[in-house]
Amino acid sequence: MQTSGVAAGASRVKTAAQVTKWGGTQSAFDPCYHRACDTYPSNISDTVLDRAGDAAAYALWTLATGSPPATVWSDTFETATGWTTNASGTDTATAGMWERADPAATTSNGAKQLGTTVSGVYDLVTGPLAGTDAGTYDVDGGTTSARSPAITLPSGTLTLSLSWYLAHGSNSSSADFFRVSIVHSGGTTALFTQTGAATNRNGAWTTGSWNISAYAGQQVRVLVEAADASSASLVEAAVDDVRITSS
Ligand SMILES: [Ca+2]
Ligand SMILES: [Ca+2]
């Protein structure tokens, strides 16, 4: 029998070597560990939870199958790998187009554009600057798209995963959206759409994964879109850590 676990540090103290490598201070990883301030949701780190979830899934898969999932293609956006904006020439956005950038944080009734990324300092974001207010460099006027370079998929079971967020103000509507699609030999197929709503939605990194085994053996591209459609609203979106694995 094999066992595995993921620990985030709890009351252990970050060493000087760890501070040198990852930043922070030589204090407890979680200063609220076993204390009254260890409450939900204020003492939950979405980033740590997200990474620990990935680590647990990886360990479970590897223990169950005897081999880790193989990375077919990945992009952390720390270097330029050839994403193209408005590749089909049909984008209608007039501002806030997708860019690979070190994003500035914006707030308007909560976080809208996140200044933090999932990996490194770069992500793919709709208009990276902060501007004079949150509405300066958000998506305006329609749809903006970014398309990955061509990826040749092997045979087998294939999974596309990425980190993303959509943020919008209460002036949003169901016409606004964030969408992930796959461009394949037979056309473009949407894998996931998060639509807007007439409520405030703050930016918060989350992960999604989709089975793309139907396109095994093909050359594909990943397409991400964000839209401020219908009446003008505050819309921001970002993507990081796009990965295709085979198992
Ligand atoms: Ca990154
Ligand atoms: Ca923006």
Side-chain angles (χ1 to χ4, degrees), residues 96 113 125-129 137-139 236:
Q113 180 162 291
V125 60
T126 54
L129 301 177
Y137 289 104
D138 72 318
V139 184
E236 291 285 7

Side-chain angles (χ1 to χ4, degrees), residues 98-234:
W98 290 104
E99 270 185 62
R100 185 186 73 85
D102 176 358
T106 69
T107 57
S108 175
N109 291 317
K112 289 297 169 285
Q113 180 162 291
L114 300 180
T116 55
T117 59
V118 179
S119 62
V121 295
Y122 286 83
D123 62 8
L124 189 64
V125 60
T126 54
L129 301 177
T132 51
D133 62 58
T136 308
Y137 289 104
D138 72 318
V139 184
D140 286 330
T143 303
T144 176
S145 69
R147 197 184 69 178
S148 78
I151 304 157
T152 301
L153 298 179
S155 58
T157 301
L158 299 163
T159 303
L160 166 67
S161 66
L162 54 78
S163 296
W164 66 278
Y165 68 80
L166 172 71
H168 55 71
S170 58
N171 56 359
S172 178
S173 74
S174 59
D176 302 338
F177 63 85
F178 165 79
R179 181 173 295 148
V180 179
S181 301
I182 189 150
V183 183
H184 52 90
S185 62
T188 300
T189 300
L191 300 171
F192 171 77
T193 300
Q194 174 65 57
T195 52
T199 54
N200 182 62
R201 178 188 175 104
N202 290 335
W205 285 110
T206 183
T207 55
S209 65
W210 305 277
N211 186 321
I212 55 167
S213 304
Y215 313 107
Q218 292 188 23
Q219 191 178 74
V220 301
R221 297 172 191 269
V222 178
L223 180 73
V224 295
E225 296 168 278
D228 177 7
S230 189
S231 57
S233 33
L234 176 59

Side-chain angles (χ1 to χ4, degrees), residues 12 14-15 20 40-42 57 134 159 169 186 201 244:
R12 286 185 59 196
K14 188 180 274 192
T15 65
T20 301
Y40 174 85
S42 63
T159 303
R201 178 188 175 104
I244 296 175

Side-chain angles (χ1 to χ4, degrees), residues 75-78 117-123 239-241:
D75 197 339
T76 60
F77 298 102
E78 300 310 302
T117 59
V118 179
S119 62
V121 295
Y122 286 83
D123 62 8
V239 167
D240 205 356
D241 287 14

